């Protein structure tokens, strides 16, 4: 879990400060802070979707349901973020069902990391950034063909 969180924060810091292909500044990962809660409450439909997302990634993204809900409350537009994570869940589920054996957990973790990266960048960039060890390039492309949204880089406010 800490590795995935650290990877997410590192990816955010690396890609968020680029503008028009130029690296404008560097952010020290220790200086990153979570944004404040924007929405005190989410509606039941949003909560149901978040519960599904949490359940889907529970074994590969070890964050509590309460923390997951709070993270969506931090987003300016939680519905957009929920839709991204639902697409990620759909992509992950199709892979995980084919690789559900207990001994394939590392493979599923790597697939999650790849899908998370893909939500922020192109297929090619996601594969390159994911430092794949369990999955080969063909496996990665097969997983990513199920991801249908455009990449949405995460923006970091300075």
């Amino acid at each position: 879990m800490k590795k995935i969180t650290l990877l997410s924060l590192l990816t955010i810091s690396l890609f968020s400060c680029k503008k028009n292909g130029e690296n404008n500044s560097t952010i020290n990962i220790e200086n990153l802070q979570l944004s404040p809660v924007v929405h005190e409450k989410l509606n039941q439909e949003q909560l149901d979707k978040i519960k599904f997302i949490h359940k889907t990634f529970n074994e590969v993204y070890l964050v509590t349901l309460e923390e997951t809900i709070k993270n969506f409350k931090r987003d300016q537009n939680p519905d957009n973020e929920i839709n991204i994570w639902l697409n990620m869940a759909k992509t992950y589920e199709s892979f995980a069902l084919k690789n559900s054996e207990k001994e394939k957990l590392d493979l599923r973790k790597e697939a999650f990391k790849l899908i998370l990266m893909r939500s922020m960048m192109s297929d090619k960039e996601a594969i390159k950034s994911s430092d794949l060890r369990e999955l080969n390039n063909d496996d990665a492309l097969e997983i990513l063909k199920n991801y249908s949204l455009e990449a949405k880089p995460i923006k970091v406010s300075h």
Side-chain angles (χ1 to χ4, degrees), residues 8 11-12 15-16 75 77 79-85 87-88 115-123 125-126 147-156:
S8 299
T11 301
I12 292 165
F15 289 97
S16 65
D75 200 280
N77 189 338
D79 288 324
N80 283 348
E81 194 68 18
I82 289 168
N83 285 332
I84 291 168
W85 280 84
N87 193 276
M88 290 171 54
I115 295 164
L116 178 64
M117 293 292 102
R118 174 56 187 89
S119 72
M120 297 179 272
M121 57 191 70
S122 70
D123 287 359
E125 292 171 315
Y147 189 86
S148 61
L149 299 178
E150 284 189 41
K152 300 270 184 178
I154 296 175
K155 296 178 184 173
V156 175

Side-chain angles (χ1 to χ4, degrees), residues 28-44:
N28 186 336
I29 198 163
E30 287 89 28
N31 294 336
L32 291 177
Q33 297 177 1
L34 291 174
S35 60
V37 170
V38 177
H39 304 279
E40 286 302 317
K41 292 187 179 190
L42 298 173
N43 66 43
Q44 190 59 49

